[in-house]
Amino acid sequence: MNKWLNKASIALVVIGVLDSIYMTIYKLTDNNAMCLGSGDCSSVNASKYSEIYGIPVALVGVGGYLAILILHLLENRNQHLRANGTLYIFGLALTGFLFTLYLIYVEFALLKALCPFCLVSQAAMTLIFIISVIRLVRQPQY
């Protein structure tokens, strides 16, 4: 297993967690100063697309990133995770990436507004997904 890819993925997950926590705090407090002058950030976070059944999308992101981080940290703890952890990470990254594609569509096509913090999370998840594909292809078969 390429340790560089693992470390890069973990670093991107940490960026995603921190970004998502920041945006969750913004969503829950509605503090427009947190958007750092980007009106599009406010537009995106005030839209009906910023929640799923009342749960902030950013909070869903926190959960997804933390799940990937936990799998990374436990990946070498037992035989089952050594054999399947990469596949589990790929599954979560694929789900996150597909959701990211939806969010990009919402921002570009429906809202015509781009939140810079959302773009950071979208870029992080896309790279995590790409790394997870590479790791899955390179994983030795047990």
Side-chain angles (χ1 to χ4, degrees), residues 120-134:
V120 168
S121 180
Q122 292 159 356
M125 185 53 71
T126 299
L127 292 171
I128 291 165
F129 171 68
I130 291 168
I131 290 170
S132 76
V133 170
I134 295 168

Side-chain angles (χ1 to χ4, degrees), residues 81-98:
L81 287 178
R82 268 191 293 280
N84 299 298
T86 303
L87 181 61
Y88 296 155
I89 291 170
F90 167 77
L92 288 172
L94 173 62
T95 302
F97 177 66
L98 292 173

Side-chain angles (χ1 to χ4, degrees), residues 20-37:
S20 294
I21 289 171
Y22 186 85
M23 290 312 296
T24 299
I25 293 168
Y26 168 69
K27 178 68 178 169
L28 296 175
T29 63
D30 202 26
N31 179 357
N32 286 332
M34 292 180 74
C35 279
L36 307 176

Side-chain angles (χ1 to χ4, degrees), residues 108-119:
F108 277 90
L110 302 179
L111 300 177
K112 296 177 179 39
L114 300 177
C115 167
F117 296 101
C118 299
L119 294 174

Side-chain angles (χ1 to χ4, degrees), residues 7-138:
K7 288 179 182 180
S9 184
I10 290 171
L12 289 163
V13 168
V14 170
I15 289 168
V17 167
L18 294 174
D19 183 67
S20 294
I21 289 171
Y22 186 85
M23 290 312 296
T24 299
I25 293 168
Y26 168 69
K27 178 68 178 169
L28 296 175
T29 63
D30 202 26
N31 179 357
N32 286 332
M34 292 180 74
C35 279
L36 307 176
S38 170
D40 284 355
C41 178
S42 299
S43 300
V44 171
N45 280 289
S47 77
K48 65 181 182 180
Y49 303 103
S50 67
E51 295 181 356
I52 301 171
Y53 298 110
I55 300 169
V57 167
L59 187 58
V60 174
V62 171
Y65 284 117
L66 286 177
I68 293 171
L69 181 61
I70 289 167
L71 281 170
H72 270 299
L73 297 176
L74 298 178
E75 202 169 15
N76 292 316
R77 298 287 178 162
N78 63 50
Q79 184 60 31
H80 178 76
L81 287 178
R82 268 191 293 280
N84 299 298
T86 303
L87 181 61
Y88 296 155
I89 291 170
F90 167 77
L92 288 172
L94 173 62
T95 302
F97 177 66
L98 292 173
F99 192 61
T100 290
L101 292 177
Y102 164 74
L103 293 174
I104 291 169
Y105 167 76
V106 166
E107 285 188 62
F108 277 90
L110 302 179
L111 300 177
K112 296 177 179 39
L114 300 177
C115 167
F117 296 101
C118 299
L119 294 174
V120 168
S121 180
Q122 292 159 356
M125 185 53 71
T126 299
L127 292 171
I128 291 165
F129 171 68
I130 291 168
I131 290 170
S132 76
V133 170
I134 295 168
R135 290 181 71 225
L136 188 62
V137 169
R138 290 184 178 178

